Amino acid sequence: MTATTGPVCAGASTAATGYPSFSSYVRARGPLLLRTARSLTANPSDAEDLLQTALTKTFVAWERIEDHRALDGYVRRALVNTRTSQWRKRKVDEFACEELPEPHGVPEPDPAERQVLHDAMWRAVMRLPDRQRAMVVLRYYEDLSEAQTAALLGVSVGTVKSAVSRALGKLRDDPELAPVR
């Protein structure tokens, strides 16, 4: 039985011979190192940034690294250390306190009150004469222009304007809508 003295994996033969330059190392091992970086982050863009940072640290130390067979380990350690530093430095925007802060701005209206207002408004619209009701519904509920409303009903734009104006006056005077004002 003969013992194998060659490298166990294909990547080891490249690392055993060393790399003549940093750029040749990055070209040869970049895809593998990027896969390692992706396993450390959830976002592919963050993985690329992480690898770039680790490779920058490796480039700075390139002359001090005596054994180029250990480069992958050096870069992996730089990846892990950089990622650890990133999540340790992450700012925490939430702090525990005894009282919950009030939301800023105008509070949202109660959905039940909004429904009551909607129902009251609809009942008031339903009390309008048919022609005025049709024009109000087309103008404000269907969001048609005055010209579109006039064309649809076969009347002039002036008729739509005056009829809607009278209808809005009746709605303003409706006693059921008085609490809203």
Side-chain angles (χ1 to χ4, degrees):
M1 198 167 233
T2 57
T4 306
T5 57
V8 178
C9 67
S13 65
T14 306
T17 60
Y19 296 95
S21 68
F22 177 74
S23 59
S24 66
Y25 171 73
V26 172
R27 275 194 302 275
R29 305 299 288 167
L32 176 71
L33 296 170
L34 181 58
R35 189 169 57 217
T36 302
R38 284 188 178 148
S39 70
L40 296 172
T41 63
N43 184 336
S45 297
D46 290 342
E48 291 172 1
D49 292 343
L50 179 63
L51 178 59
Q52 187 70 36
T53 303
L55 289 174
T56 301
K57 291 177 181 181
T58 305
F59 178 76
V60 170
W62 184 258
E63 296 299 321
R64 292 179 289 152
I65 301 172
E66 295 175 11
D67 185 6
H68 282 197
R69 291 177 293 182
L71 280 171
D72 284 353
Y74 184 91
V75 175
R76 283 190 194 101
R77 176 53 49 199
L79 285 168
V80 170
N81 290 347
T82 302
R83 182 65 183 140
T84 301
S85 294
Q86 288 173 346
W87 64 259
R88 281 186 180 158
K89 290 178 184 177
R90 185 182 68 209
K91 287 186 177 183
V92 177
D93 293 334
E94 298 178 14
F95 301 98
C97 60
E98 291 184 25
E99 291 184 34
L100 292 175
E102 293 299 320
H104 299 297
V106 180
E108 289 291 320
D110 181 18
E113 289 177 14
R114 287 182 58 144
Q115 187 61 45
V116 167
L117 175 62
H118 179 270
D119 292 345
M121 178 60 82
W122 189 249
R123 283 191 301 273
V125 167
M126 293 305 290
R127 285 191 293 272
L128 292 173
D130 292 341
R131 186 173 171 170
Q132 287 180 357
R133 181 175 56 240
M135 291 182 190
V136 167
V137 167
L138 291 173
R139 283 285 292 128
Y140 297 105
Y141 284 89
E142 296 296 323
D143 201 27
L144 297 181
S145 68
E146 291 169 341
Q148 290 170 322
T149 302
L152 192 64
L153 295 176
V155 297
S156 70
V157 173
T159 301
V160 171
K161 287 181 180 182
S162 62
V164 168
S165 176
R166 283 191 303 276
L168 293 178
K170 288 180 182 180
L171 291 173
R172 278 192 282 284
D173 295 337
D174 192 292
E176 191 176 357
L177 298 177
V180 176
R181 285 178 246 139

